[in-house]
Amino acid sequence: MNRLFKLDNLFLGILIIFALILRVGMALKFPNIFWADEIFQSLEPAHRLAFGNGIVTWEFRDGIRSWVLPGILAGIMRLTAWMGKGSTGYLIGVNLFLSLLSLSNILVAYLWGKKIGGTITAFICAVICTIWFELIYFSPKAFTEVVATHFLLPGVFLGVQENIFTTRKRLFLSGCLLGISLGLRIHLIPAIVFTVIYICRKNWRNKLLPIILGIIAPILIFGTVDAFTWPYPFQSFWLNIWVNLVEGRSKLYGVSPWYEYIIFLLKSWSWFSIPIVILALLGSRRSPILAWLALIIIVSHSLLAHKEYRFIYPALPMVMILAGIGTGELVLNLSRRWVSPRKTVIAILLCLSLWTSTSVALLSRFNIYNPLTFSTFGTNLENTHLYATTNNLLALQSLSTENTVCGLGLWGVNWALSGGYTYFHRDVPIYQLEKAADFEELKAGFNYIIGNRSIPSQYQNYTLQKCWQETCIYKRPGSCSQIIDSDINSVLKKSGN
């Protein structure tokens, strides 16, 4: 038994290391932006806190965002800046930190599978969560809903699994993890309320108090941070709800029908949605709470007018764990018929190969903004989310080591898709150039341009430096002059963006 236990730990350790390499490697190999919030609601304010400069959006002017996550990321940036020149060092550090947090999903998948179906189911669940393309893609991203998921799942697991620590300690720790996820993503209230009811339903007297105290503890920390960073405690909670739900600010960024998340999932999973859902339904018989939570997360977000695929990310690892449990159940049923262990091993390897092949196939077509199709493979990897705004990010990152920059103009590159000072890392002004007349007005303020269209013919003093496909860096000789109230932060403040 000791040998088997050590062997299990060895395999799990190898799997976790492989998952970490996969996530960090993909993030560094394919720098991209899925949605601008991953930069300007977390990394950019973190950069401003750590190094003193950054683009400030309306959320951080009006005070509807918490400084907890940006504050933690700012510390990571300062601690890891030595790992590379310019912005490279702390970008590696941030990707490594966020990827490490995401490993909780794999550990929970293993432990959950172990409780349900033993070692075989445990490794099937863990491998699926390791290789599934959406979990790999989103794990290193600084979205609050993604980071919240990495605390939500362990919190749910500790809450429902008995015989782990003493009951009070286990429930208090579960509550702390649930509270952290709630502080990061207030929209998870319906899922967390359901979790508390599910956990305490058979013994309210002994279970409710420790789990509620656990939830309150981190929420108080979030409220205290708001008290020091904004005018009022818990301001980022109630003001966010007021501005987006009551005033309807979020509708300015798009309104979608109630079934939009179903369309998103079909776009992402294609016809593989059918076997994935069937396997997840099989798994839900053994672990109904995961099925209910995934459904609650999707339905509760479907009631909101503004919808983005990342909002339902917390449901994705839950569905994958359920599908892993369903897959494990099929393999175990077959192994009971086959006396030969060799056939069982072959069945396990075949299942994992099919899951891996499916993940690779869907990654090759992963773009939820494309029209709905039911193809199996994509024909152009550059048309996927892996390459979204990659050229802009690489161009700004290359300038982060250029000491001669005294000002930067963005020509044909929208600031929201630029990577901001997070990638630029130079303490100089950025100017948004939308039309040719902007050159004449602002040309004295910058000596470098990043553009994806040709420089106006009358400005021949700019010479081409380097290109990443259509995105190029241009430079002119000479210095820069300060132009008052025309840099990107001044423009955003005037426009209310």
Side-chain angles (χ1 to χ4, degrees):
M1 288 299 295
N2 285 335
R3 289 176 182 175
L4 288 174
F5 182 74
K6 290 177 181 178
L7 191 61
D8 286 358
N9 286 346
L10 176 62
F11 283 142
L12 179 60
I14 292 172
L15 193 61
I16 286 176
I17 292 172
F18 174 69
L20 180 63
I21 294 171
L22 201 56
R23 281 149 176 74
V24 176
M26 289 285 284
L28 298 179
K29 175 66 176 177
F30 303 101
N32 59 76
I33 296 177
F34 184 80
W35 192 267
D37 283 8
E38 67 186 273
I39 302 292
F40 297 101
Q41 304 307 317
S42 51
L43 294 176
E44 194 73 353
H47 187 276
R48 184 157 59 100
L49 195 61
F51 304 108
N53 60 322
I55 295 175
V56 184
T57 58
W58 69 272
E59 291 93 340
F60 277 90
R61 289 195 305 271
D62 295 353
I64 73 164
R65 298 286 186 180
S66 171
W67 277 97
V68 171
L69 181 58
I72 294 170
L73 294 176
I76 299 298
M77 286 181 172
R78 293 290 294 184
L79 289 172
T80 58
W82 60 270
M83 295 174 68
K85 294 181 180 180
S87 60
T88 301
Y90 61 75
L91 287 174
I92 294 173
V94 167
N95 285 328
L96 181 60
F97 171 73
L98 294 173
S99 297
L100 281 168
L101 285 181
S102 74
L103 299 179
S104 66
N105 290 343
I106 297 168
L107 182 59
V108 168
Y110 175 84
L111 294 174
W112 214 304
K114 186 90 169 179
K115 287 283 184 179
I116 298 296
T119 303
I120 290 177
T121 302
F123 277 106
I124 289 175
C125 290
V127 169
I128 291 173
C129 287
T130 296
I131 55 87
W132 192 248
F133 71 103
E134 290 163 309
L135 305 188
I136 296 170
Y137 176 80
F138 282 107
S139 287
K141 292 192 172 294
F143 288 124
T144 54
E145 46 275 319
V146 172
V147 180
T149 305
H150 304 153
F151 293 94
L152 175 64
L153 263 179
V156 175
F157 176 79
L158 285 175
V160 300
Q161 300 298 336
E162 305 290 344
N163 304 321
I164 304 177
F165 313 129
T166 60
T167 299
R168 288 184 178 274
K169 289 181 180 179
R170 174 176 60 83
L171 292 177
F172 180 78
L173 181 56
S174 170
C176 286
L177 295 171
L178 295 175
I180 293 172
S181 63
L182 181 61
L184 289 167
R185 181 68 177 166
I186 193 67
H187 303 72
L188 292 174
I189 282 180
I192 290 174
V193 168
F194 174 81
T195 301
V196 172
I197 294 172
Y198 189 93
I199 292 170
C200 301
R201 69 191 189 284
K202 294 181 180 179
N203 191 354
W204 289 94
R205 181 175 298 178
N206 294 325
K207 291 184 175 182
L208 184 61
L209 183 60
I211 198 169
I212 292 298
L213 290 176
I215 292 174
I216 290 174
I219 293 297
L220 287 176
I221 295 174
F222 277 84
T224 302
V225 171
D226 276 5
F228 282 97
T229 54
W230 302 124
Y232 306 102
F234 302 103
Q235 177 175 311
S236 64
F237 293 151
W238 62 263
L239 190 57
N240 189 316
I241 295 172
W242 178 266
V243 168
N244 285 315
L245 292 185
V246 180
E247 295 183 357
R249 178 69 184 252
S250 62
K251 294 180 181 179
L252 297 176
Y253 305 101
V255 174
S256 303
W258 64 268
Y259 53 83
E260 186 72 2
Y261 287 118
I262 299 175
I263 302 298
F264 280 154
L265 289 169
L266 289 173
K267 286 182 176 182
S268 184
W269 296 350
S270 186
W271 64 269
F272 291 104
S273 304
I274 297 172
I276 290 172
V277 170
I278 291 173
L279 289 170
L281 289 174
L282 284 176
S284 67
R285 298 182 305 166
R286 304 294 303 277
S287 187
I289 185 173
L290 287 179
W292 282 114
L293 283 176
L295 185 62
I296 288 169
I297 289 167
I298 294 173
V299 170
S300 62
H301 283 84
S302 296
L303 299 176
L304 303 177
H306 179 59
K307 298 175 180 65
E308 297 172 29
Y309 190 49
R310 62 188 173 97
F311 290 167
I312 62 166
Y313 174 83
L316 299 184
M318 296 178 185
V319 173
M320 290 303 115
I321 293 174
L322 288 171
I325 294 172
T327 304
E329 186 172 334
L330 292 179
V331 172
L332 289 174
N333 286 337
L334 288 174
S335 67
R336 294 187 187 102
R337 298 179 183 179
W338 296 333
V339 180
S340 171
R342 182 180 298 178
K343 290 183 178 180
T344 302
V345 171
I346 291 173
I348 294 170
L349 293 177
L350 179 60
C351 286
L352 296 181
S353 297
L354 289 172
W355 272 104
T356 303
S357 301
T358 302
S359 179
V360 172
L362 294 180
L363 177 63
S364 72
R365 61 184 298 284
F366 180 44
N367 190 333
I368 62 165
Y369 302 121
N370 281 340
L372 175 61
T373 63
F374 291 96
S375 59
T376 302
F377 293 96
T379 57
N380 182 11
L381 199 61
E382 293 184 1
N383 191 35
T384 66
H385 290 300
L386 287 178
Y387 281 92
T389 72
T390 294
N391 299 329
N392 299 345
L393 301 181
L394 292 176
L396 259 77
Q397 190 173 355
S398 71
L399 286 182
S400 69
T401 59
E402 182 55 66
N403 295 324
T404 62
V405 180
C406 57
L408 176 66
L410 299 178
W411 174 239
V413 175
N414 188 279
W415 66 270
L417 302 177
S418 68
Y421 287 94
T422 299
Y423 280 80
F424 185 37
H425 195 50
R426 308 304 303 176
D427 191 12
V428 300
I430 296 176
Y431 300 93
Q432 181 75 65
L433 310 174
E434 296 181 353
K435 52 187 183 298
D438 294 335
F439 273 93
E440 190 62 34
E441 180 183 352
L442 303 172
K443 63 182 180 182
F446 54 86
N447 65 336
Y448 277 81
I449 293 174
I450 290 179
N452 54 23
R453 45 183 167 161
S454 301
I455 301 296
S457 57
Q458 62 267 38
Y459 301 103
Q460 297 297 325
N461 56 336
Y462 285 93
T463 57
L464 179 64
Q465 303 294 298
K466 188 177 181 180
C467 287
W468 291 262
Q469 294 184 347
E470 73 279 1
T471 302
C472 300
I473 295 176
Y474 302 86
K475 177 187 178 182
R476 68 163 172 81
S479 58
C480 305
S481 303
Q482 185 178 6
I483 302 178
I484 305 298
D485 293 337
S486 295
D487 64 282
I488 188 64
N489 277 329
S490 299
V491 171
L492 291 179
K493 187 174 182 179
K494 291 176 185 176
S495 64
N497 291 322

